[in-house]
Amino acid sequence: SNPPVAPEISSSVALDFVLIGRTSAFLLLHQARAERFFRSDHTNNWAVLVCTSRFWFNYRHVANTLSVYRSVKRLGIPDSHIVLMLADDMACNHRNPKPATVFSHKNMELNVYGDDVEVDYRGYEVTVENFLRVLTGRLPPSTPRSKRLLSDDHSNILIYLTGHGGNGFLKFQDSEEISNVELADAFEQMWQKRRYNELLFIIDTCQGASMYERFYSPNLMALASSQVGEDSLSHQPDLAIGVHLMDRYTFYLLEFLEDIHPASQANMNDLFKVCPKSQCVSTPGHRTDLFQRDPGSVLITDFFGSVRKVEITMETINLTPHTETALAYVDQLPVAQIIHQKPKQKDWHPPDGFILGLWTLILLVFFRTYGIKHLKHIF
Amino acid sequence: LSIRPVLSDPEKQRGRSAAVAIAALVIAAGIPLWWKTTETYRAWLPAARISELEALQLELRVEVEVVFARGTLSPEQQKKVPASRITYESCCKSKSLCLVEADHALHTLTETSCGSVVIYIIPEASALLPQDMRVYVGRSRTALLRSQVASVVGAGLPEVLAALDPQMEQVLQTMSFNHQDVTAALTDRLRPGLSTRDSLADSMRAFKSSPGYEITFSLLNPDPKHHQLHWDVEAALDAYIYPLLHKMAPVANFSVDSQILYYAVLGVNPRYDASASAYTLSADSLAHVINPVEARLGSNAASSNPVLNFLLYVPDSLHSPLIIRNDQKQEVASNAFHSPRWGGIMVYNVDGAYGNDTQFPVDIAIDMSRVMGVFLSQLRLMLGFQQTGAPPGFVLEAAGREGVAEWELDRLLWSRSVENVATASASITSLAQLLDQIANIVINDNIAQQVASAVTALQAAVAELEAGNLALALEHSREAISASERAFFDPSLLHLLYFPDDQKFAIYIPLFLPMCVPILLSLLKIFREVQQHRAEKRAKRD
């Protein structure tokens, strides 16, 4: 099927009187300022990091995702711009001999769980449906901001997926799968709505290259840890914890990212060289044909970090100090208007003494009817 | 010896008719029922009108009223022009105030609607405008143009207007819109390379059109032990910011809040410059200031609207005074910087307010008019009021206290309307294409209704733009964009997970095959018997 073409809108300017030519002369004072913007087109960065497997023996997938999360936070992307989806809880798992930690290096050298992890989708919330909803933006209105991908047309997005995969699919939670066709369609819908400026897709699963085969939207760059027909292998087990801690590709990716700092000039060509076949056993692959810029000119921090563009404010407005009328206490709004509270429902109580009188009446009637001799049974 | 039961003829007949009846029931009732119950509900969408939107032609019309002052036209020309006498006279004390007063008085004479422009032609020799100024653009929608048209030969009205055309076009391109503005509003819908770098930078800086914005003003006090800061932000907002936001009410809703953060430091260490005896922040280190601070700013989690942050940073006593230097190592007058689509930060030095041996903490009242002056200009940039370079000979009156001149607001409304129309039509057309391509998506009635109302509002907006009613056009375009966004992002539009054909067979075969095989076989048997019977009959006849 042909990808939908963005519609072209041509505009014609009509004035009430005859239009002759266009003579617009603007000062080129803005030229220098504009120069700085054009190394790249983005103004903000987002990251969607997904771990799709559960169970204790898939510890390494959670550690993979958390190590990318850690790098991305260290390089400047704030939590409000990261959507972290972890399918299972390893740090507080009953089988974790070191609770509240997730290690990436054996001998417990590096705890990637840290002190301020903010997981947005956890446990059974990590499903194919939720993942596609986050990407396309079709979330129910009650979804909080932290669970949404609020990117715009100048956002660079990093998407990292890890888990168990096969030729053309990725397994979620051991019960469902997402296919490469769906993923490509989701990215196309993001492009139609201009929800990204450029997108970097990294996947660390077996046969990961099959997941980016079907992409057809512009401005996508993809990396995978293994080609079709190859398995991605795990790195090293820790004998104290008892499971493999990381996958090879992400382990060497983490080592590479630890050397990057926010002002670093390393570019994508360096990222493509991470984990050659000698270290990874599988052959990492990448795809750049849909990407418009040359990968050599794309900085690592364009996706993994959040380097803001700033401009000095040259113009100010002269305002005369305003003679303030000090707000007297009595002018302030009553508390009930500031804090919107529903008026408390006052329950209706019968007037005082009413119940006492009622019971006295009942007793009197009883004794009148049945005789006073019953009184001794009560008192 | 065969043990097959021997059926009598009437029994065989009954058996045959039973088989045929079951087969008929399955085919006549079962297949349509299965088809109906497994099809996805798709409400009807106005496909014809949507395909019209793909080839949308926008025409923007500006209403211009040209008023000739006395002395600009020769008497013959004056007879030709429909005249209504408006006399304006004033004696002003100083030259500079004259122009502003004149502009104000003229503004009260004629009623201008949103989007229209009034140009007053004044004689060449008039003393109202200084010598080198050709055009003066006031705070409302009027412009004063100095021109000499009495010398034009052939004195009809069309010739007079034709002579004035180039100058008027320049005025209109400054006050309403020009080619750059329109292409900038359409940047993400056009092919790359059509917009200039300036307009691209402007479009990157300003927020995209959104139904609402959240603005947060924060005071950062890293040193509460030494500085006790008082800022009367409520009164300042009332006096300086709310007037601008009220004027922008037709464009979007705004929600404003403020906060004070203690012990919040900037992420970079400023360097001490002995020559200026101050700490300095260079332009390249500014980019790294925002990220550590942003983690500590809260956000109003109630809506998905874009957030603008304005931070006022008062440096701690050890690092006072702190000045910002630009690329040329010069001091910046405003001591502030901003980041596109995020907000602005201003550094406010208080070291002059106290000496060395005062008792700490010192009470300091912040001068809100200075602060709000900077924030107001940054807010204007973020909201889309571009820093228009005036063409030579033009003077644009500064907006001053109200924050924005009416023609500047009109400029914004023009580009916003165009942007809204473009975005809404793109959403609708891509939604229609998407729903066409994927047969599995359920289209509920409410989506169809939203799409229909979006298409209607779009067509109304385009019609109003052609007629020149800017305010109505903006309203319709806002309706269109909100309806189209609601339709596109409706949570029910998630298509059912991708079903490859072999999976579909795998689901249906175990259900239908055991049922269909006996029916088919019995039908075949009946067919063969009928054929045999017919062959026997033919043989008997022959």
Side-chain angles (χ1 to χ4, degrees), chain B residues 103-236:
Chain B
D103 173 60
H104 186 70
L106 287 172
H107 165 61
T108 50
L109 285 176
T110 46
E111 208 25 75
T112 48
S113 66
C114 191
S116 61
V117 173
V118 181
I119 302 183
Y120 289 93
I121 314 283
I122 58 177
E124 191 77 42
S126 161
L128 194 56
L129 294 178
Q131 272 298 49
D132 48 351
M133 198 194 293
R134 265 191 317 115
V135 177
Y136 169 81
V137 177
R139 275 192 208 161
S140 53
R141 301 181 182 102
T142 55
L144 298 174
L145 175 62
R146 185 213 298 276
S147 160
Q148 182 63 272
V149 282
S151 56
V152 171
V153 184
L157 186 55
E159 286 87 8
V160 167
L161 290 172
L164 281 175
D165 229 8
Q167 294 165 315
M168 284 209 295
E169 198 189 315
Q170 242 191 351
V171 172
L172 285 172
Q173 284 185 345
T174 313
M175 286 179 75
S176 291
F177 52 83
N178 54 21
H179 191 65
Q180 263 93 349
D181 289 340
V182 174
T183 46
L186 300 172
T187 31
D188 55 346
R189 301 289 154 199
L190 293 178
R191 284 187 300 264
L194 277 181
S195 49
T196 65
R197 292 161 84 87
D198 287 325
S199 57
L200 199 55
D202 279 333
S203 80
M204 274 172 68
R205 188 187 302 121
F207 278 91
K208 282 197 78 71
S209 170
S210 157
Y213 298 94
E214 318 242 341
I215 308 181
T216 307
F217 290 89
S218 313
L219 172 65
L220 274 69
N221 186 0
D223 198 6
K225 284 202 204 78
H226 293 114
H227 302 141
Q228 192 146 355
L229 299 169
H230 301 280
W231 74 332
D232 194 0
V233 64
E234 251 194 78

Side-chain angles (χ1 to χ4, degrees), chain A residues 4 8 14 18 20-21 26 36 133 138 145 153 182 192-194 306 308-309 311 313 315 320 322, chain B residues 60 165 169 191 205 240 291 294 303 305 327 334 338-340 377-378 427 430 433 485 488 491 498:
Chain A
E8 284 173 12
V18 176
I20 310 168
F26 285 92
R36 217 192 298 178
R133 281 192 192 281
R138 299 205 169 101
R145 256 187 119 99
D153 59 324
E182 284 172 330
Q192 285 291 318
K193 252 338 226 157
R194 300 296 186 272
S306 170
R308 304 276 185 175
K309 298 180 166 43
E311 282 184 314
T313 308
E315 286 182 6
T320 51
H322 179 71
Chain B
L60 306 171
D165 229 8
E169 198 189 315
R191 284 187 300 264
R205 188 187 302 121
Y240 305 122
N291 285 324
E294 188 172 7
S303 70
N305 291 330
D327 287 325
S334 60
H338 56 269
S339 176
S377 68
Q378 287 175 341
S427 301
S430 71
Q433 258 168 349
E485 297 280 300
F488 194 94
Y498 174 66

Side-chain angles (χ1 to χ4, degrees), chain B residues 114-115 410-411 413-414 417 464-465 468-475:
Chain B
C114 191
D410 282 353
R411 266 187 92 104
L413 296 189
W414 283 112
S417 312
E464 297 291 355
L465 279 177
N469 305 326
L470 184 56
L472 282 176
L474 182 73
E475 212 182 288

